[in-house]
Amino acid sequence: MSTFAKPNHIGRKISRIRELRDMKQEALAQALGTSQQTISAYENSEEIDDAKLNEIAKALGVSIEALKNFSDEAAINYFNNFTDNSAGTFNNHCNFNPLDKLMESVEENKKLYERLVQSEKDKVEFLEKILKDK
């Protein structure tokens, strides 16, 4: 029987999410502390208990709800929402100014550099004091 006839085939959903994450069965098995054969068995199962499903979801980096409700159509629609079909580019709708964020990081780097310079000055003063006391 085809897995396409079973829309709630949880094993197939695990397999698709794993594939979309570019993860091999061996990697998922290692993350779960099990064997590749066990992962293969999970992916061929129509149902998996919630405790094990929760572990698998964490290893895949998704919520258990996302795992249970996954569908190829929803994933395609999700990614289509990010693309501009006329130009084939991403629609970036930032709710912040990227240049402001860049300048914030520059200012933070300046402060860190000043702290580092001051720390080195303090170290030199301390070493000079030790040398004078000898």
Side-chain angles (χ1 to χ4, degrees), residues 57-125:
K58 283 182 184 176
L60 289 171
V62 297
S63 68
I64 193 166
E65 292 81 19
L67 188 55
K68 286 181 176 181
N69 298 323
F70 176 81
S71 73
D72 286 327
E73 295 81 19
I76 290 168
N77 288 336
Y78 176 80
F79 288 110
N80 281 340
N81 286 336
F82 287 107
T83 59
D84 177 2
N85 291 331
S86 63
T89 59
F90 286 99
N91 291 327
N92 292 325
H93 299 290
C94 295
N95 56 0
F96 62 90
N97 185 346
L99 291 176
D100 289 342
K101 292 291 184 184
L102 177 64
M103 292 311 297
E104 285 175 17
S105 67
V106 167
E107 290 301 318
E108 188 174 332
N109 283 345
K110 278 185 186 177
K111 290 176 185 175
L112 290 171
Y113 180 75
E114 289 169 359
R115 284 178 43 202
L116 177 65
V117 169
Q118 186 59 45
S119 171
E120 290 299 316
K121 285 180 181 177
D122 292 345
K123 190 187 317 179
V124 168
E125 285 179 23

Side-chain angles (χ1 to χ4, degrees), residues 16-69:
R16 288 296 293 140
I17 292 173
R18 179 183 57 76
E19 291 167 357
L20 288 170
R21 292 232 177 248
D22 198 26
M23 182 185 281
K24 295 194 178 288
Q25 284 184 340
E26 293 85 5
L28 182 56
Q30 186 176 10
L32 293 172
T34 188
S35 69
Q36 179 270 327
Q37 290 82 2
T38 304
I39 299 303
S40 180
Y42 289 151
E43 290 182 357
N44 288 317
S45 300
E46 289 185 30
E47 294 181 8
I48 298 175
D49 65 271
D50 282 347
K52 183 52 71 176
L53 204 57
N54 193 31
E55 290 178 35
I56 294 170
K58 283 182 184 176
L60 289 171
V62 297
S63 68
I64 193 166
E65 292 81 19
L67 188 55
K68 286 181 176 181
N69 298 323

Side-chain angles (χ1 to χ4, degrees), residues 1-9 12 16 72-73:
M1 178 177 265
S2 171
T3 56
F4 294 112
K6 297 274 188 186
N8 290 328
H9 192 283
R12 184 68 186 139
R16 288 296 293 140
D72 286 327
E73 295 81 19

